[in-house]
PDB file of all heavy atoms in Angstrom:
ATOM      1  N   ILE F  74      16.494 -13.090  -6.466  1.00 97.00           N
ATOM      2  CA  ILE F  74      16.662 -13.755  -7.760  1.00 97.00           C
ATOM      3  C   ILE F  74      16.955 -12.683  -8.789  1.00 97.00           C
ATOM      4  O   ILE F  74      16.199 -11.722  -8.935  1.00 97.00           O
ATOM      5  CB  ILE F  74      15.415 -14.572  -8.144  1.00 97.00           C
ATOM      6  CG1 ILE F  74      15.175 -15.639  -7.069  1.00 97.00           C
ATOM      7  CG2 ILE F  74      15.582 -15.187  -9.529  1.00 97.00           C
ATOM      8  CD1 ILE F  74      13.931 -16.443  -7.244  1.00 97.00           C
ATOM      9  N   LEU F  75      18.085 -12.846  -9.468  1.00 97.00           N
ATOM     10  CA  LEU F  75      18.468 -11.882 -10.498  1.00 97.00           C
ATOM     11  C   LEU F  75      17.966 -12.375 -11.846  1.00 97.00           C
ATOM     12  O   LEU F  75      18.272 -13.495 -12.264  1.00 97.00           O
ATOM     13  CB  LEU F  75      19.987 -11.705 -10.549  1.00 97.00           C
ATOM     14  CG  LEU F  75      20.445 -10.645 -11.548  1.00 97.00           C
ATOM     15  CD1 LEU F  75      20.118  -9.249 -11.037  1.00 97.00           C
ATOM     16  CD2 LEU F  75      21.934 -10.765 -11.824  1.00 97.00           C
ATOM     17  N   VAL F  76      17.185 -11.513 -12.498  1.00 97.00           N
ATOM     18  CA  VAL F  76      16.637 -11.801 -13.816  1.00 97.00           C
ATOM     19  C   VAL F  76      17.231 -10.789 -14.785  1.00 97.00           C
ATOM     20  O   VAL F  76      17.162  -9.581 -14.555  1.00 97.00           O
ATOM     21  CB  VAL F  76      15.093 -11.700 -13.819  1.00 97.00           C
ATOM     22  CG1 VAL F  76      14.529 -11.924 -15.215  1.00 97.00           C
ATOM     23  CG2 VAL F  76      14.487 -12.685 -12.821  1.00 97.00           C
ATOM     24  N   VAL F  77      17.829 -11.294 -15.858  1.00 96.00           N
ATOM     25  CA  VAL F  77      18.386 -10.440 -16.909  1.00 96.00           C
ATOM     26  C   VAL F  77      17.774 -10.889 -18.233  1.00 96.00           C
ATOM     27  O   VAL F  77      17.866 -12.061 -18.596  1.00 96.00           O
ATOM     28  CB  VAL F  77      19.932 -10.528 -16.966  1.00 96.00           C
ATOM     29  CG1 VAL F  77      20.484  -9.668 -18.097  1.00 96.00           C
ATOM     30  CG2 VAL F  77      20.549 -10.122 -15.634  1.00 96.00           C
ATOM     31  N   ASP F  78      17.138  -9.965 -18.916  1.00 94.00           N
ATOM     32  CA  ASP F  78      16.482 -10.253 -20.202  1.00 94.00           C
ATOM     33  C   ASP F  78      15.535 -11.443 -20.124  1.00 94.00           C
ATOM     34  O   ASP F  78      15.504 -12.298 -21.018  1.00 94.00           O
ATOM     35  CB  ASP F  78      17.522 -10.499 -21.302  1.00 94.00           C
ATOM     36  CG  ASP F  78      18.224  -9.238 -21.736  1.00 94.00           C
ATOM     37  OD1 ASP F  78      17.637  -8.156 -21.609  1.00 94.00           O
ATOM     38  OD2 ASP F  78      19.386  -9.336 -22.191  1.00 94.00           O
ATOM     39  N   GLY F  79      14.773 -11.525 -19.049  1.00 95.00           N
ATOM     40  CA  GLY F  79      13.779 -12.580 -18.936  1.00 95.00           C
ATOM     41  C   GLY F  79      14.307 -13.940 -18.557  1.00 95.00           C
ATOM     42  O   GLY F  79      13.587 -14.939 -18.645  1.00 95.00           O
ATOM     43  N   LYS F  80      15.570 -13.999 -18.133  1.00 96.00           N
ATOM     44  CA  LYS F  80      16.163 -15.281 -17.731  1.00 96.00           C
ATOM     45  C   LYS F  80      16.768 -15.148 -16.337  1.00 96.00           C
ATOM     46  O   LYS F  80      17.391 -14.131 -16.021  1.00 96.00           O
ATOM     47  CB  LYS F  80      17.254 -15.701 -18.715  1.00 96.00           C
ATOM     48  CG  LYS F  80      16.751 -16.001 -20.113  1.00 96.00           C
ATOM     49  CD  LYS F  80      17.885 -16.499 -21.004  1.00 96.00           C
ATOM     50  CE  LYS F  80      17.375 -16.747 -22.399  1.00 96.00           C
ATOM     51  NZ  LYS F  80      17.577 -15.628 -23.289  1.00 96.00           N
ATOM     52  N   VAL F  81      16.618 -16.194 -15.543  1.00 97.00           N
ATOM     53  CA  VAL F  81      17.229 -16.210 -14.224  1.00 97.00           C
ATOM     54  C   VAL F  81      18.731 -16.414 -14.381  1.00 97.00           C
ATOM     55  O   VAL F  81      19.176 -17.355 -15.038  1.00 97.00           O
ATOM     56  CB  VAL F  81      16.629 -17.328 -13.343  1.00 97.00           C
ATOM     57  CG1 VAL F  81      17.423 -17.488 -12.053  1.00 97.00           C
ATOM     58  CG2 VAL F  81      15.166 -17.016 -13.031  1.00 97.00           C
ATOM     59  N   VAL F  82      19.509 -15.501 -13.790  1.00 96.00           N
ATOM     60  CA  VAL F  82      20.968 -15.586 -13.833  1.00 96.00           C
ATOM     61  C   VAL F  82      21.508 -16.240 -12.559  1.00 96.00           C
ATOM     62  O   VAL F  82      22.434 -17.042 -12.605  1.00 96.00           O
ATOM     63  CB  VAL F  82      21.592 -14.177 -14.022  1.00 96.00           C
ATOM     64  CG1 VAL F  82      23.095 -14.205 -13.874  1.00 96.00           C
ATOM     65  CG2 VAL F  82      21.182 -13.603 -15.363  1.00 96.00           C
ATOM     66  N   ALA F  83      20.911 -15.914 -11.420  1.00 96.00           N
ATOM     67  CA  ALA F  83      21.400 -16.452 -10.154  1.00 96.00           C
ATOM     68  C   ALA F  83      20.364 -16.221  -9.067  1.00 96.00           C
ATOM     69  O   ALA F  83      19.474 -15.375  -9.201  1.00 96.00           O
ATOM     70  CB  ALA F  83      22.722 -15.777  -9.759  1.00 96.00           C
ATOM     71  N   GLY F  84      20.510 -16.973  -7.982  1.00 97.00           N
ATOM     72  CA  GLY F  84      19.627 -16.804  -6.840  1.00 97.00           C
ATOM     73  C   GLY F  84      20.371 -17.033  -5.536  1.00 97.00           C
ATOM     74  O   GLY F  84      21.326 -17.820  -5.490  1.00 97.00           O
ATOM     75  N   MET F  85      19.955 -16.319  -4.512  1.00 96.00           N
ATOM     76  CA  MET F  85      20.555 -16.532  -3.196  1.00 96.00           C
ATOM     77  C   MET F  85      19.483 -16.428  -2.126  1.00 96.00           C
ATOM     78  O   MET F  85      18.469 -15.745  -2.308  1.00 96.00           O
ATOM     79  CB  MET F  85      21.659 -15.524  -2.908  1.00 96.00           C
ATOM     80  CG  MET F  85      21.212 -14.107  -2.664  1.00 96.00           C
ATOM     81  SD  MET F  85      22.588 -13.057  -2.151  1.00 96.00           S
ATOM     82  CE  MET F  85      21.890 -11.439  -2.470  1.00 96.00           C
ATOM     83  N   GLN F  86      19.732 -17.136  -1.037  1.00 96.00           N
ATOM     84  CA  GLN F  86      18.903 -16.972   0.142  1.00 96.00           C
ATOM     85  C   GLN F  86      19.670 -16.091   1.101  1.00 96.00           C
ATOM     86  O   GLN F  86      20.873 -16.274   1.303  1.00 96.00           O
ATOM     87  CB  GLN F  86      18.591 -18.306   0.812  1.00 96.00           C
ATOM     88  CG  GLN F  86      17.734 -18.115   2.049  1.00 96.00           C
ATOM     89  CD  GLN F  86      17.225 -19.411   2.650  1.00 96.00           C
ATOM     90  OE1 GLN F  86      16.919 -20.341   1.930  1.00 96.00           O
ATOM     91  NE2 GLN F  86      17.128 -19.448   3.969  1.00 96.00           N
ATOM     92  N   ARG F  87      18.982 -15.110   1.680  1.00 95.00           N
ATOM     93  CA  ARG F  87      19.588 -14.210   2.662  1.00 95.00           C
ATOM     94  C   ARG F  87      18.958 -14.493   4.019  1.00 95.00           C
ATOM     95  O   ARG F  87      17.739 -14.611   4.116  1.00 95.00           O
ATOM     96  CB  ARG F  87      19.362 -12.752   2.257  1.00 95.00           C
ATOM     97  CG  ARG F  87      19.911 -12.449   0.873  1.00 95.00           C
ATOM     98  CD  ARG F  87      19.724 -11.024   0.450  1.00 95.00           C
ATOM     99  NE  ARG F  87      18.321 -10.651   0.293  1.00 95.00           N
ATOM    100  CZ  ARG F  87      17.896  -9.523  -0.252  1.00 95.00           C
ATOM    101  NH1 ARG F  87      18.790  -8.630  -0.686  1.00 95.00           N
ATOM    102  NH2 ARG F  87      16.626  -9.249  -0.368  1.00 95.00           N
ATOM    103  N   THR F  88      19.816 -14.596   5.033  1.00 95.00           N
ATOM    104  CA  THR F  88      19.345 -14.869   6.388  1.00 95.00           C
ATOM    105  C   THR F  88      19.867 -13.777   7.308  1.00 95.00           C
ATOM    106  O   THR F  88      21.080 -13.548   7.383  1.00 95.00           O
ATOM    107  CB  THR F  88      19.835 -16.252   6.866  1.00 95.00           C
ATOM    108  OG1 THR F  88      19.452 -17.243   5.892  1.00 95.00           O
ATOM    109  CG2 THR F  88      19.237 -16.596   8.213  1.00 95.00           C
TER     110      THR F  88
END
Side-chain angles (χ1 to χ4, degrees):
I74 300 175
L75 184 72
V76 177
V77 178
D78 287 333
K80 295 184 182 95
V81 171
V82 172
M85 71 173 162
Q86 179 172 324
R87 303 181 295 190
T88 307

